[in-house]
Amino acid sequence: MKKVGIVICTWNKKEYILNCIESVLNSTYKNYDIYVVDNASTDGAPEEILERYQGRLTLIQKTENTGGADGFHWGIQAALKKDYDYLWLLDNDILVDSNALFHLVDYLNQHSQVAAVGSKLLYMENPDRVQYLNTEIDMDNFTITKYLANSEDNSDLPIEIETDVIPACSMLIKTEMLVKYGDMDPEYFIYMDDSDMGFQFILNGYKLMIYTPSIVFHKRGALDRTTTFSDYYSRRNTLYFFLKYIRYDQIYSFAEYIIDQSFKEFYFGTYNNRFEVVLTRQFALEDMLNGVRGRAVDGRIQELPIQIPRAQIIIEKNYQFLVIGSDLKASSDIITMIKNKYPDKVVDVILDDENEDAAIFVDKMKSINILSANDFVPGRYDLIIQTCKHVLDYKLCNGEIIPHVYVDRYSNVIENEQDKQYMDSYERVYSNYKTINLPILVDRLQRRKFEIDSQIALKKRDRVESLV
């Protein structure tokens, strides 16, 4: 029977970590040791863990919070000193099914070309829905796409799925992979750490898999953000990840991608008064280019003011709505906002006849009155909303019915002529911005890429020497 080292990283989630440990102890697979790495919690969790589980696990107490990536790194390095076949990484805000570890071990035992396997993640608050299954990393377009997230959990889901990312929420790894190719890079602090580690395995010819009979329940993240914490770390670390792994001949197109992304955020962030998010993401880009990693320095993460979405303000003033659904996602979002906040308000919908997914939308919006264009009666509605994929394309949505406002899937709104002029100026301002900034960014990315490659070469040399 394979011996498993279980590494759980925690910080200031006392109730969660205690419940997580209990669920692990109830596992049917018993050949394991538990390592809990506490990132300097101040909520009494370390004391409670020692009181309850003295002798049943190893508690590693750090004197400061250096992030989840460093926490896992400490736990992995401690476990590597023992003779484990596999290491199981777990977040603290999860509950594991009693057979979760058994299924993961059984899968790795049977697949020599699989470096690591993950569980099906279900929402803890809504266990009938999938929180995560698989992800694709597109190195040509610099995108990371999640599939089947927030879908219904049912028997039609695949039993095994190849993926480019396994979240550290539940990730069973062959120990030899960590010895050969390295574990989590602690300088990520949080976000993209597990992606980077797993990508190393893929680059060396191994597979990452999700095995759905193994089930883990994960706590949903906070829906109401109060700071730009996630904006900073997600942006900085994602850009670093792609720059680390792309070729030099991709740097120009990567720079174009960043210019396009940054300008859109600036243009529409200022338009929607989201100055804190714009500033934080610019800080993240600048820090990545300057080689700043680990914990963010003071001032990088901003407090977010309470802000009512512009679409909601418009909705509050009216009672009877017509939604012209050229974009189904934007239509679904605006209708859901209306019905959740103001269930007494009337919503009729006219769909684009050419949309292939209209039938799915109709089934989802069963309580909404679906009309044809011939049913439209002028003067009946307080507000006519035209949805579109992006407000920059609002002119493409013009039909026979003249809307009062345009709303896109990113919550941008066009309400008046001034808004239209702002959208019409986008291409001109963007062209000037790109002309000035693109060559500067290309140069900085090239220099930073060389620094990263040099650092990687040194680490690889040190790892090889340590194995000799």
Side-chain angles (χ1 to χ4, degrees):
M1 181 180 285
K2 302 291 187 181
K3 186 68 178 290
V4 179
I6 301 175
V7 178
I8 311 171
C9 185
T10 187
W11 178 68
N12 278 348
K13 287 187 177 180
K14 179 179 176 180
E15 180 181 351
Y16 290 147
I17 183 59
L18 296 175
N19 290 335
C20 175
I21 293 170
E22 284 295 329
S23 71
V24 171
L25 292 174
N26 289 327
S27 297
T28 56
Y29 193 91
K30 297 298 184 182
N31 194 22
Y32 61 78
D33 296 324
I34 301 174
Y35 296 80
V36 176
V37 182
D38 184 84
N39 254 332
S41 294
T42 57
D43 62 350
E47 294 79 8
E48 188 73 20
I49 290 171
L50 286 174
E51 181 178 340
R52 290 195 190 189
Y53 305 110
Q54 187 78 42
R56 302 176 71 185
L57 55 75
T58 299
L59 177 63
I60 302 171
Q61 292 183 260
K62 299 176 64 180
T63 57
E64 62 176 320
N65 179 17
T66 53
D70 191 47
F72 276 118
H73 174 70
W74 276 53
I76 290 170
Q77 289 302 309
L80 287 178
K81 295 176 183 178
K82 302 292 183 67
D83 191 23
Y84 296 110
D85 299 287
Y86 305 144
L87 294 188
W88 193 21
L89 308 186
L90 296 173
D91 275 349
N92 59 358
D93 54 354
I94 59 101
L95 299 175
V96 305
D97 179 77
S98 60
N99 291 315
L101 180 56
F102 169 82
H103 287 302
L104 295 180
V105 171
D106 183 58
Y107 190 85
L108 277 192
N109 286 344
Q110 299 181 48
H111 296 84
S112 60
Q113 283 303 115
V114 175
V117 60
S119 307
K120 175 172 63 177
L121 299 185
L122 302 179
Y123 285 109
M124 192 181 296
E125 307 87 343
N126 188 1
D128 293 328
R129 299 202 71 80
V130 174
Q131 186 182 70
Y132 176 89
L133 272 183
N134 66 315
T135 294
E136 178 186 12
I137 298 176
D138 185 342
M139 296 302 297
D140 294 321
N141 295 298
F142 322 112
T143 57
I144 300 175
T145 305
K146 294 181 180 179
Y147 295 99
L148 297 173
N150 203 35
S151 60
E152 182 181 354
D153 182 31
N154 57 58
S155 58
D156 294 332
L157 294 175
I159 294 177
E160 55 182 354
I161 308 169
E162 188 169 359
T163 182
D164 290 336
V165 177
I166 300 176
C169 300
S170 175
M171 182 183 195
L172 186 70
I173 313 164
K174 291 178 178 175
T175 305
E176 61 185 285
M177 298 292 109
L178 298 167
V179 174
K180 288 181 180 179
Y181 308 118
D183 67 300
M184 280 198 185
D185 179 352
E187 292 301 311
Y188 274 104
F189 190 81
I190 191 171
Y191 303 145
M192 294 300 295
D193 43 6
D194 44 15
S195 302
D196 191 319
M197 182 175 66
F199 205 64
Q200 284 288 332
F201 306 150
I202 293 174
L203 290 177
N204 284 282
Y206 294 91
K207 293 182 180 180
L208 303 180
M209 302 296 295
I210 301 296
Y211 189 50
T212 57
S214 175
I215 299 172
V216 164
F217 304 93
H218 189 223
K219 178 71 175 176
R220 183 194 296 268
L223 297 179
D224 296 322
R225 296 193 300 138
T226 58
T227 74
T228 57
F229 178 94
S230 61
D231 295 278
Y232 177 82
Y233 287 108
S234 179
R235 174 56 50 80
R236 187 195 70 181
N237 292 347
T238 301
L239 292 176
Y240 173 85
F241 172 87
F242 279 111
L243 185 58
K244 176 180 178 179
Y245 289 111
I246 62 173
R247 305 179 308 272
Y248 278 90
D249 63 2
Q250 291 180 281
I251 287 180
Y252 188 87
S253 57
F254 187 44
E256 287 186 309
Y257 168 80
I258 295 173
I259 288 289
D260 181 68
Q261 185 182 51
S262 298
F263 182 76
K264 278 184 178 177
E265 289 169 352
F266 168 77
Y267 203 76
F268 290 99
T270 53
Y271 173 69
N272 291 311
N273 296 320
R274 301 180 76 231
F275 304 109
E276 295 79 13
V277 173
V278 172
L279 185 61
T280 294
R281 292 181 179 178
Q282 289 299 312
F283 281 150
L285 171 59
E286 192 65 26
D287 283 353
M288 189 280 292
L289 292 170
N290 288 331
V292 177
R293 306 194 67 210
R295 182 195 290 272
V297 299
D298 290 345
R300 283 337 200 195
I301 296 171
Q302 311 290 308
E303 296 288 332
L304 285 173
I306 298 174
Q307 189 175 28
I308 300 175
R310 189 175 174 190
Q312 183 179 332
I313 295 173
I314 295 171
I315 288 168
E316 289 175 348
K317 302 174 183 177
N318 299 280
Y319 178 77
Q320 188 147 341
F321 302 87
L322 174 66
V323 176
I324 305 173
S326 294
D327 185 84
L328 295 186
K329 184 182 186 308
S331 300
S332 176
D333 290 346
I334 195 69
I335 292 169
T336 300
M337 175 189 288
I338 295 171
K339 300 308 290 184
N340 285 349
K341 292 186 175 295
Y342 314 103
D344 60 321
K345 298 195 176 188
V346 178
V347 183
D348 293 341
V349 180
I350 295 177
L351 296 177
D352 186 338
D353 294 335
E354 298 180 1
N355 199 308
E356 297 178 355
D357 297 322
I360 299 175
F361 177 87
V362 171
D363 183 65
K364 181 181 178 181
M365 298 290 172
K366 292 179 179 178
S367 62
I368 303 302
N369 187 25
I370 307 295
L371 307 178
S372 69
N374 295 330
D375 296 325
F376 174 70
V377 177
R380 174 183 291 178
Y381 302 99
D382 303 318
L383 190 71
I384 300 174
I385 302 171
Q386 170 76 63
T387 65
C388 46
K389 185 175 181 179
H390 201 287
V391 288
L392 288 175
D393 304 321
Y394 77 94
K395 291 181 179 178
L396 302 178
C397 300
N398 284 345
E400 295 182 2
I401 303 174
I402 307 300
H404 299 119
V405 299
Y406 297 83
V407 178
D408 69 13
R409 58 175 61 183
Y410 308 102
S411 301
N412 295 310
V413 175
I414 294 179
E415 186 181 8
N416 50 46
E417 288 302 316
Q418 183 179 352
D419 293 338
K420 291 180 180 179
Q421 291 174 11
Y422 193 84
M423 300 307 154
D424 294 341
S425 299
Y426 179 88
E427 291 297 336
R428 174 179 54 80
V429 180
Y430 171 69
S431 178
N432 293 334
Y433 176 87
K434 183 176 181 179
T435 299
I436 295 170
N437 290 285
L438 182 59
I440 299 172
L441 182 58
V442 169
D443 178 68
R444 295 190 68 183
L445 287 172
Q446 288 173 335
R447 287 187 279 118
R448 181 70 182 119
K449 171 71 171 169
F450 179 79
E451 292 172 356
I452 293 171
D453 287 352
S454 299
Q455 293 164 358
I456 292 171
L458 287 174
K459 288 182 180 179
K460 187 176 293 185
R461 185 196 66 186
D462 293 343
R463 189 179 303 118
V464 171
E465 290 178 352
S466 69
L467 295 174
V468 175

